Amino acid sequence: MLRDYVDWRKNNEDLRNIVSWNPPEAVAKCIKYKFTGLDFEGRPVLWLPIGRWGVRKLIAEGYKQDCVRMQYKILEEIAHEIETRRKICGTNQFVVIADSAELSFWKLANYETVEVILRFFREFESYFPEFLYSCYFVNNPMIFSYIFNLVKPFLSAHTLSKVQMFDYNQEKWKSVLLNGIPTKSLPVEYGGTGEKVLVY
């Protein structure tokens, strides 16, 4: 798996200088993400407010390739965080909190938008799956099941076993998050004492 990942990076032009690449302001403002800290075992915790991402709007404004590059930037930063933690404590995995709040049918009912999303999951499954320790999808509206059913065929049973999904019942998912993540690594909006992230 690691060899495949290294070869993929060498052969993918979009990954050249991707970490130092500065996305257009519209893309950076729309596709936000943040490493909020470490779980109890020292794994990086990544917050992705996917429901608030306006990929369809960006594509309509001519930023489709920038959206793809932004996804690669996130993947590369994940790899960098994992490598840093591996050198410190030996861990080689990460945790994701994916917040689907504000996800709507309009945001998904577009071929190019779905194409970009599926491309991300295909490449994640091909080159990154063993890096994922767990993924928590929270605040999932009904439309979430539509897009997840499109994604599932690209994910292995092993990857799917690492995924937990929750609706808007915060009592349920906050207790689960706190089971594996220290309060200081969880933003206040998610039941922790960490820095507030929902500022836009």
Side-chain angles (χ1 to χ4, degrees):
M1 183 65 67
L2 182 58
R3 174 180 285 182
D4 290 344
Y5 167 66
V6 172
D7 289 342
W8 174 68
R9 291 179 75 250
K10 287 181 179 178
N11 296 327
N12 193 325
E13 292 186 5
D14 281 318
L15 287 174
R16 293 176 185 172
N17 304 314
I18 193 66
V19 173
S20 60
W21 171 69
N22 292 316
E25 182 180 356
V27 177
K29 184 177 180 180
C30 194
I31 303 180
K32 293 196 175 184
Y33 61 97
K34 182 181 179 66
F35 287 96
T36 63
L38 307 172
D39 75 357
F40 285 116
E41 304 300 323
R43 304 179 189 93
V45 177
L46 175 64
W47 169 71
L48 300 174
I50 58 174
R52 294 173 174 82
W53 289 357
V55 175
R56 177 176 180 176
K57 181 174 181 290
L58 289 173
I59 290 174
E61 294 173 354
Y63 293 111
K64 180 177 180 179
Q65 194 56 34
D66 292 301
C67 288
V68 172
R69 295 203 80 203
M70 193 67 167
Q71 292 177 341
Y72 288 147
K73 185 177 178 69
I74 294 172
L75 291 175
E76 277 295 283
E77 290 191 18
I78 290 170
H80 175 75
E81 288 288 327
I82 290 172
E83 179 62 15
T84 299
R85 296 307 303 169
R86 184 188 66 78
K87 292 177 179 177
I88 296 173
C89 62
T91 183
N92 63 350
Q93 292 182 304
F94 73 107
V95 175
V96 176
I97 301 171
D99 190 342
S100 303
E102 298 186 26
L103 188 66
S104 67
F105 180 79
W106 184 88
K107 289 181 178 179
L108 298 174
N110 173 267
Y111 174 79
E112 289 185 292
T113 302
V114 173
E115 181 184 37
V116 168
I117 293 170
L118 295 183
R119 177 175 179 173
F120 174 80
F121 280 97
R122 278 197 302 267
E123 297 192 343
F124 180 88
E125 180 61 34
S126 296
Y127 306 108
F128 283 80
E130 294 308 315
F131 294 156
L132 179 67
Y133 178 74
S134 59
C135 178
Y136 306 96
F137 285 98
V138 302
N139 293 324
N140 297 328
M142 290 183 64
I143 190 63
F144 177 82
S145 59
Y146 164 75
I147 191 64
F148 196 73
N149 284 336
L150 293 178
V151 167
K152 281 175 69 174
F154 299 102
L155 303 178
S156 68
H158 183 56
T159 299
L160 289 171
S161 71
K162 303 176 182 182
V163 174
Q164 296 187 57
M165 293 183 286
F166 302 90
D167 58 20
Y168 284 97
N169 188 332
Q170 294 190 13
E171 287 187 12
K172 287 185 178 179
W173 55 256
K174 281 185 178 180
S175 63
V176 172
L177 294 181
L178 288 166
N179 235 9
I181 303 172
T183 55
K184 66 180 181 180
S185 295
L186 272 177
V188 293
E189 300 94 326
Y190 299 89
T193 59
E195 183 180 345
K196 186 175 181 180
V197 289
L198 294 178
V199 293
Y200 72 103

